[in-house]
Amino acid sequence: LIQLFWNKNLTNGDIGDSASDGYVVLSMAHGNYMIGNIDACYTVVMALDGTIVQAQVAPTQEVDGVTYFTRFEGLKMKDSTTVLLAQNTDIVGDNNFYSWDLSGDALESSSTANVEPLPIWSVADNVTGGSHDIQYVSTEEVGVDGYLVINNNLDKLLMYNLNGTLKWEYTPSYINDPGPGIHFNHAQIAYDKDGELSVFVSVRDMSCIAKLNFTSGAELWKLGGLYSDFNVTDLDGHRYVVGDGHGAFTHQHNAEYIGDGKFALFDNGYNGSLPAVRDSRMVIMDVDEVNREATITWEWQTGVHALIFGDADPLPTGNMVGTFWPATVHPNSSDIRESFEASAVEVTHTGSTAWMLGVKGTGMSADSAYDRYDQEAPVGWAFYSIERFYTSLLIKGATMDTSSGMVSFSVYNTYRQQFDLSATAVITCGGATVTKPIMIAAHWQETKVSQAFEDMGSSCEVSVSTQDHSVSATLSSDTSSGPSPSAAGSGSGDGYGQQAEQASPHTRR
């Protein structure tokens, strides 16, 4: 049983209807994740109203005469129509990586195309790796056309080209040190705030984020955990200073640089035993690398304990999308987040729930609470991560100001790319046309565009195009495109407290 909640006004945000278009892609699996007995795994692409436009059953594997499904954990967009999937075989141990091409009419609701994910490398290439992450990189960005992955032991980073040749490798200096384990669960290549090509790594068992210099491979710092180089101030004002041995986040997943010195992550709030340190939460953190100070500026508490897994990604509206699961399910809880085995959610910056998809358990009590974990891994349904993407660029707040002669708007790419993207803006007012190159900022940061005209006339046309996509808007002297921008709130949010704003749930089986 799947239930879906949607408040379109909240998913529209300050962009408008186009922000509620596009798709969600996620992979959901059922079984005992600790021992690898996965009896179902579906990877789906759906609209926010729950319409499924593509769905695939994961490959199977046979172990000791029993057939089990593999599952997908790491899930990233290569481009606006290609999904990258990192496979977890659990039992056999040879993970693989897949590319799911959704171009053409694959995303049309009327399409009958059955598009299957295909392996990126052949068996002969002998490329295997961990299932937590995969990122596409190009020659233009890093000198290699290929993919960054994590190894099977989750303690090294590997970059392979398209032919399966290893082109770059990182082994931490502490790989054989006693103490906490390593467990890389996210790796990302991006330019830092100063324009240096960097690698950001989420080190789960050390409850920290590490930054590497891509060119030299040197580790520059750790943030969080026992060996933190930073003081970290939590949202409640508590300050974790260097040497404390405690941190503001623990066993985090999908920690990712999102530009301008900011990071988003899913803080599991779990230190290896129950009771957990805190409810799991989505977090945004500002990092001052010069003064070695980090500050958590936003959180959304899930209200549950997700011992592993979880996601937290920013959207163009400023909303956050993520996933979580409760270690203990309460079927009749007044907080419905506790009643699902797996949840995907979009929340506003002020904490309201804009969209939520919840999966009920199977074969469990409909009335009594039940634990559904084996050691730290889920038993039943769970998601690892989630992505949002669009088929058109997004324009926000397009206006023409006749008093100043200024046209201004903001633009976002179709997916959350890791590097700035070249584009062309064409603006026509009063018979005059200006064509200008622009760079659409990485990580779904806002890209502002403006142009002055001596004679605006009564209307203006604006358009932005990249190599693959475009968007346009028509402005008049008394109207603007989309809702007026509104200031984003700050603070912790109120969890599910504003669920009364939601539309009635849709139930799907």
Side-chain angles (χ1 to χ4, degrees), residues 97 120-128 135 137 139 142-149 157-169 214:
F97 303 95
I120 293 173
W121 293 285
S122 69
V123 174
D125 291 329
N126 197 32
V127 175
T128 64
Q135 180 187 343
V137 294
T139 303
V142 302
V144 176
D145 195 18
Y147 298 90
L148 176 69
V149 301
L157 304 181
L158 309 170
M159 184 183 293
Y160 294 95
N161 68 11
L162 300 182
N163 295 322
T165 302
L166 182 64
K167 305 297 290 186
W168 183 87
E169 180 178 359
F214 174 72

Side-chain angles (χ1 to χ4, degrees), residues 30-41:
H30 181 274
N32 186 318
Y33 282 66
M34 179 55 64
I35 62 176
N37 291 356
I38 302 300
D39 51 36
C41 180

Side-chain angles (χ1 to χ4, degrees), residues 240-299:
Y240 298 86
V241 302
V242 172
D244 261 0
H246 302 283
F249 53 89
T250 52
H251 276 213
Q252 75 288 339
H253 281 72
N254 283 303
E256 189 162 326
Y257 182 66
I258 59 173
D260 195 29
K262 295 179 172 59
F263 289 80
L265 59 91
F266 187 87
D267 173 18
N268 292 82
Y270 177 66
N271 62 1
S273 62
L274 292 172
V277 177
R278 65 178 68 84
D279 283 354
S280 302
R281 57 181 180 165
M282 295 192 288
V283 164
I284 293 178
M285 177 171 57
D286 283 354
V287 176
D288 179 350
E289 296 188 48
V290 174
N291 296 304
R292 292 294 197 261
E293 294 282 347
T295 305
I296 291 178
T297 57
W298 180 88
E299 70 172 18

Side-chain angles (χ1 to χ4, degrees), residues 78-99:
K78 176 184 178 182
D79 52 45
S80 57
T81 57
T82 307
V83 182
L84 302 176
L85 301 165
Q87 181 188 41
N88 188 310
T89 60
D90 280 317
I91 303 171
V92 176
D94 292 329
N95 298 313
N96 208 338
F97 303 95
Y98 288 76
S99 176

